[in-house]
Short mmCIF file of all heavy atoms in Angstrom, two decimals:
data_model
loop_
_atom_site.label_atom_id
_atom_site.label_comp_id
_atom_site.label_asym_id
_atom_site.label_seq_id
_atom_site.Cartn_x
_atom_site.Cartn_y
_atom_site.Cartn_z
N LEU B 24 -19.15 71.59 -120.33
CA LEU B 24 -20.39 71.83 -119.60
C LEU B 24 -20.06 72.45 -118.24
O LEU B 24 -19.13 72.04 -117.57
CB LEU B 24 -21.15 70.52 -119.39
CG LEU B 24 -21.79 69.89 -120.63
CD1 LEU B 24 -22.29 68.49 -120.29
CD2 LEU B 24 -22.93 70.76 -121.17
N ILE B 34 -27.53 66.40 -114.77
CA ILE B 34 -28.62 67.13 -115.42
C ILE B 34 -28.13 67.82 -116.69
O ILE B 34 -28.81 67.79 -117.72
CB ILE B 34 -29.23 68.15 -114.45
CG1 ILE B 34 -29.80 67.45 -113.22
CG2 ILE B 34 -30.32 68.97 -115.15
CD1 ILE B 34 -30.79 66.33 -113.52
N ALA B 35 -26.95 68.40 -116.64
CA ALA B 35 -26.41 69.08 -117.82
C ALA B 35 -26.20 68.10 -118.97
O ALA B 35 -26.49 68.43 -120.13
CB ALA B 35 -25.09 69.77 -117.48
N VAL B 36 -25.73 66.90 -118.67
CA VAL B 36 -25.49 65.91 -119.73
C VAL B 36 -26.82 65.42 -120.31
O VAL B 36 -26.95 65.22 -121.52
CB VAL B 36 -24.65 64.73 -119.22
CG1 VAL B 36 -24.42 63.72 -120.35
CG2 VAL B 36 -23.30 65.22 -118.70
N ILE B 37 -27.82 65.24 -119.46
CA ILE B 37 -29.16 64.87 -119.96
C ILE B 37 -29.67 65.94 -120.92
O ILE B 37 -30.20 65.63 -122.00
CB ILE B 37 -30.15 64.67 -118.79
CG1 ILE B 37 -29.78 63.44 -117.97
CG2 ILE B 37 -31.58 64.53 -119.33
CD1 ILE B 37 -30.63 63.26 -116.72
N LEU B 38 -29.48 67.19 -120.54
CA LEU B 38 -29.96 68.29 -121.38
C LEU B 38 -29.16 68.47 -122.65
O LEU B 38 -29.64 69.05 -123.63
CB LEU B 38 -29.91 69.61 -120.58
CG LEU B 38 -30.82 69.70 -119.35
CD1 LEU B 38 -30.59 71.02 -118.63
CD2 LEU B 38 -32.29 69.56 -119.75
N SER B 39 -27.92 67.94 -122.68
CA SER B 39 -27.03 68.19 -123.82
C SER B 39 -27.29 67.31 -125.03
O SER B 39 -26.72 67.54 -126.08
CB SER B 39 -25.58 68.02 -123.38
OG SER B 39 -25.27 66.65 -123.15
N ALA B 40 -28.17 66.33 -124.90
CA ALA B 40 -28.48 65.46 -126.04
C ALA B 40 -29.03 66.30 -127.19
O ALA B 40 -29.99 67.05 -127.02
CB ALA B 40 -29.49 64.40 -125.63
N GLN B 41 -28.40 66.19 -128.35
CA GLN B 41 -28.79 66.94 -129.54
C GLN B 41 -28.85 68.46 -129.27
O GLN B 41 -29.71 69.17 -129.79
CB GLN B 41 -30.15 66.44 -130.08
CG GLN B 41 -30.11 64.98 -130.51
CD GLN B 41 -31.41 64.51 -131.09
OE1 GLN B 41 -31.98 65.17 -131.95
NE2 GLN B 41 -31.90 63.36 -130.63
N ALA B 42 -27.94 68.91 -128.42
CA ALA B 42 -27.83 70.33 -128.12
C ALA B 42 -26.36 70.66 -127.91
O ALA B 42 -25.54 69.77 -127.65
CB ALA B 42 -28.64 70.70 -126.87
N THR B 43 -26.00 71.93 -128.01
CA THR B 43 -24.61 72.32 -127.79
C THR B 43 -24.33 72.57 -126.32
O THR B 43 -25.23 72.94 -125.56
CB THR B 43 -24.27 73.60 -128.57
OG1 THR B 43 -25.02 74.69 -128.04
CG2 THR B 43 -24.60 73.44 -130.06
N ASP B 44 -23.08 72.39 -125.92
CA ASP B 44 -22.70 72.69 -124.55
C ASP B 44 -22.95 74.17 -124.22
O ASP B 44 -23.36 74.51 -123.11
CB ASP B 44 -21.23 72.36 -124.31
CG ASP B 44 -20.98 70.85 -124.28
OD1 ASP B 44 -21.96 70.08 -124.42
OD2 ASP B 44 -19.82 70.44 -124.11
N VAL B 45 -22.70 75.03 -125.19
CA VAL B 45 -22.91 76.47 -124.99
C VAL B 45 -24.39 76.75 -124.67
O VAL B 45 -24.72 77.49 -123.74
CB VAL B 45 -22.47 77.27 -126.23
CG1 VAL B 45 -22.89 78.74 -126.10
CG2 VAL B 45 -20.96 77.17 -126.42
N GLY B 46 -25.26 76.11 -125.44
CA GLY B 46 -26.69 76.30 -125.23
C GLY B 46 -27.15 75.78 -123.88
O GLY B 46 -27.97 76.39 -123.19
N VAL B 47 -26.61 74.63 -123.50
CA VAL B 47 -26.96 74.04 -122.20
C VAL B 47 -26.46 74.94 -121.07
O VAL B 47 -27.17 75.20 -120.10
CB VAL B 47 -26.38 72.62 -122.06
CG1 VAL B 47 -26.57 72.09 -120.63
CG2 VAL B 47 -27.05 71.68 -123.04
N ASN B 48 -25.25 75.43 -121.20
CA ASN B 48 -24.68 76.29 -120.15
C ASN B 48 -25.50 77.56 -119.96
O ASN B 48 -25.67 78.03 -118.82
CB ASN B 48 -23.23 76.65 -120.46
CG ASN B 48 -22.28 75.47 -120.32
OD1 ASN B 48 -22.61 74.49 -119.67
ND2 ASN B 48 -21.14 75.56 -120.94
N LYS B 49 -25.99 78.13 -121.04
CA LYS B 49 -26.82 79.33 -120.93
C LYS B 49 -28.06 79.06 -120.10
O LYS B 49 -28.50 79.89 -119.29
CB LYS B 49 -27.21 79.84 -122.32
CG LYS B 49 -26.09 80.51 -123.09
CD LYS B 49 -26.57 81.01 -124.44
CE LYS B 49 -25.43 81.70 -125.20
NZ LYS B 49 -25.88 82.18 -126.53
N ALA B 50 -28.65 77.87 -120.29
CA ALA B 50 -29.85 77.51 -119.55
C ALA B 50 -29.54 77.18 -118.10
O ALA B 50 -30.21 77.67 -117.18
CB ALA B 50 -30.54 76.33 -120.22
N THR B 51 -28.51 76.36 -117.87
CA THR B 51 -28.22 75.96 -116.50
C THR B 51 -27.63 77.10 -115.66
O THR B 51 -27.77 77.11 -114.44
CB THR B 51 -27.25 74.75 -116.46
OG1 THR B 51 -26.04 75.08 -117.16
CG2 THR B 51 -27.90 73.53 -117.09
N ASN B 52 -27.01 78.07 -116.32
CA ASN B 52 -26.51 79.24 -115.58
C ASN B 52 -27.66 80.03 -114.96
O ASN B 52 -27.46 80.76 -113.98
CB ASN B 52 -25.70 80.15 -116.50
CG ASN B 52 -24.31 79.57 -116.81
OD1 ASN B 52 -23.84 78.67 -116.13
ND2 ASN B 52 -23.68 80.07 -117.86
N LEU B 54 -30.73 78.28 -114.32
CA LEU B 54 -31.44 77.29 -113.51
C LEU B 54 -30.75 77.00 -112.19
O LEU B 54 -31.40 77.02 -111.13
CB LEU B 54 -31.59 75.99 -114.31
CG LEU B 54 -32.10 74.76 -113.55
CD1 LEU B 54 -33.54 74.99 -113.06
CD2 LEU B 54 -32.01 73.50 -114.42
N TYR B 55 -29.46 76.72 -112.23
CA TYR B 55 -28.77 76.23 -111.03
C TYR B 55 -28.74 77.22 -109.85
O TYR B 55 -28.80 76.77 -108.69
CB TYR B 55 -27.36 75.78 -111.38
CG TYR B 55 -27.32 74.49 -112.20
CD1 TYR B 55 -26.21 74.15 -112.96
CD2 TYR B 55 -28.40 73.61 -112.19
CE1 TYR B 55 -26.17 72.98 -113.71
CE2 TYR B 55 -28.37 72.43 -112.95
CZ TYR B 55 -27.24 72.14 -113.70
OH TYR B 55 -27.22 70.97 -114.43
N LEU B 72 -39.76 73.84 -114.76
CA LEU B 72 -38.44 73.57 -115.33
C LEU B 72 -38.35 74.02 -116.78
O LEU B 72 -37.33 74.55 -117.22
CB LEU B 72 -38.12 72.07 -115.22
CG LEU B 72 -36.80 71.61 -115.81
CD1 LEU B 72 -35.61 72.34 -115.17
CD2 LEU B 72 -36.64 70.10 -115.63
N LYS B 73 -39.45 73.86 -117.51
CA LYS B 73 -39.45 74.23 -118.93
C LYS B 73 -39.10 75.70 -119.15
O LYS B 73 -38.48 76.06 -120.14
CB LYS B 73 -40.82 73.94 -119.56
CG LYS B 73 -41.10 72.48 -119.84
CD LYS B 73 -42.47 72.32 -120.48
CE LYS B 73 -42.82 70.85 -120.71
NZ LYS B 73 -44.16 70.69 -121.30
N LYS B 74 -39.47 76.54 -118.21
CA LYS B 74 -39.19 77.96 -118.35
C LYS B 74 -37.70 78.24 -118.43
O LYS B 74 -37.27 79.20 -119.05
CB LYS B 74 -39.80 78.73 -117.16
CG LYS B 74 -41.32 78.67 -117.09
CD LYS B 74 -41.84 79.38 -115.86
CE LYS B 74 -43.35 79.26 -115.74
NZ LYS B 74 -43.88 79.90 -114.50
N TYR B 75 -36.91 77.38 -117.79
CA TYR B 75 -35.46 77.57 -117.77
C TYR B 75 -34.76 76.90 -118.95
O TYR B 75 -33.66 77.34 -119.35
CB TYR B 75 -34.87 77.02 -116.47
CG TYR B 75 -35.26 77.79 -115.25
CD1 TYR B 75 -36.34 77.39 -114.47
CD2 TYR B 75 -34.56 78.93 -114.86
CE1 TYR B 75 -36.72 78.10 -113.34
CE2 TYR B 75 -34.93 79.67 -113.73
CZ TYR B 75 -36.01 79.24 -112.98
OH TYR B 75 -36.37 79.95 -111.86
N ILE B 76 -35.36 75.86 -119.50
CA ILE B 76 -34.66 75.08 -120.54
C ILE B 76 -35.33 75.15 -121.90
O ILE B 76 -34.99 74.39 -122.80
CB ILE B 76 -34.50 73.62 -120.11
CG1 ILE B 76 -35.87 72.91 -120.04
CG2 ILE B 76 -33.78 73.51 -118.77
CD1 ILE B 76 -35.77 71.40 -119.85
N LYS B 77 -36.27 76.08 -122.08
CA LYS B 77 -37.05 76.14 -123.32
C LYS B 77 -36.21 76.51 -124.54
O LYS B 77 -36.66 76.33 -125.68
CB LYS B 77 -38.23 77.10 -123.18
CG LYS B 77 -37.83 78.53 -122.88
CD LYS B 77 -39.06 79.40 -122.62
CE LYS B 77 -38.67 80.84 -122.30
NZ LYS B 77 -39.87 81.67 -122.03
N THR B 78 -35.00 77.02 -124.32
CA THR B 78 -34.12 77.35 -125.45
C THR B 78 -33.34 76.13 -125.95
O THR B 78 -32.65 76.21 -126.97
CB THR B 78 -33.11 78.44 -125.06
OG1 THR B 78 -32.38 78.01 -123.89
CG2 THR B 78 -33.84 79.75 -124.74
N ILE B 79 -33.45 75.01 -125.23
CA ILE B 79 -32.72 73.80 -125.59
C ILE B 79 -33.62 72.88 -126.42
O ILE B 79 -34.81 72.75 -126.13
CB ILE B 79 -32.26 73.05 -124.32
CG1 ILE B 79 -31.35 73.93 -123.48
CG2 ILE B 79 -31.53 71.76 -124.68
CD1 ILE B 79 -30.96 73.32 -122.15
N GLY B 80 -33.05 72.25 -127.41
CA GLY B 80 -33.82 71.32 -128.24
C GLY B 80 -34.43 70.19 -127.43
O GLY B 80 -33.84 69.73 -126.46
N LEU B 81 -35.62 69.77 -127.84
CA LEU B 81 -36.34 68.68 -127.18
C LEU B 81 -36.64 68.98 -125.70
O LEU B 81 -36.68 68.08 -124.87
CB LEU B 81 -35.56 67.36 -127.29
CG LEU B 81 -35.12 66.95 -128.69
CD1 LEU B 81 -34.26 65.68 -128.62
CD2 LEU B 81 -36.32 66.71 -129.58
N PHE B 82 -36.84 70.26 -125.38
CA PHE B 82 -36.98 70.65 -123.98
C PHE B 82 -38.19 70.04 -123.30
O PHE B 82 -38.17 69.81 -122.08
CB PHE B 82 -36.97 72.17 -123.82
CG PHE B 82 -38.23 72.86 -124.29
CD1 PHE B 82 -39.25 73.12 -123.42
CD2 PHE B 82 -38.35 73.26 -125.61
CE1 PHE B 82 -40.40 73.77 -123.83
CE2 PHE B 82 -39.49 73.91 -126.05
CZ PHE B 82 -40.53 74.17 -125.15
N ASN B 83 -39.24 69.75 -124.06
CA ASN B 83 -40.44 69.17 -123.45
C ASN B 83 -40.16 67.79 -122.85
O ASN B 83 -40.44 67.53 -121.68
CB ASN B 83 -41.59 69.08 -124.47
CG ASN B 83 -42.21 70.43 -124.75
OD1 ASN B 83 -42.59 71.15 -123.85
ND2 ASN B 83 -42.31 70.78 -126.03
N SER B 84 -39.59 66.92 -123.66
CA SER B 84 -39.31 65.56 -123.19
C SER B 84 -38.17 65.58 -122.16
O SER B 84 -38.17 64.79 -121.21
CB SER B 84 -38.95 64.64 -124.35
OG SER B 84 -37.80 65.12 -125.05
N LYS B 85 -37.21 66.48 -122.33
CA LYS B 85 -36.11 66.56 -121.38
C LYS B 85 -36.61 67.02 -120.01
O LYS B 85 -36.15 66.52 -118.97
CB LYS B 85 -35.02 67.51 -121.90
CG LYS B 85 -34.22 66.93 -123.08
CD LYS B 85 -33.20 67.92 -123.61
CE LYS B 85 -32.44 67.33 -124.79
NZ LYS B 85 -31.46 68.27 -125.35
N ALA B 86 -37.54 67.94 -119.99
CA ALA B 86 -38.08 68.40 -118.72
C ALA B 86 -38.76 67.25 -117.97
O ALA B 86 -38.57 67.08 -116.77
CB ALA B 86 -39.07 69.55 -118.95
N VAL B 89 -36.02 64.85 -116.67
CA VAL B 89 -35.27 65.42 -115.55
C VAL B 89 -36.10 65.34 -114.26
O VAL B 89 -35.58 64.96 -113.20
CB VAL B 89 -34.84 66.87 -115.83
CG1 VAL B 89 -34.35 67.56 -114.55
CG2 VAL B 89 -33.73 66.90 -116.88
#
Side-chain angles (χ1 to χ4, degrees):
L24 289 170
I34 299 307
V36 180
I37 292 174
L38 296 176
S39 71
Q41 298 183 48
T43 66
D44 288 359
V45 172
V47 172
N48 290 341
K49 286 182 180 179
T51 57
N52 286 343
L54 170 64
Y55 289 159
L72 178 58
K73 284 181 183 179
K74 295 177 183 178
Y75 292 95
I76 66 170
K77 61 185 179 182
T78 55
I79 300 174
L81 308 175
F82 72 93
N83 286 308
S84 60
K85 288 177 181 179
V89 167

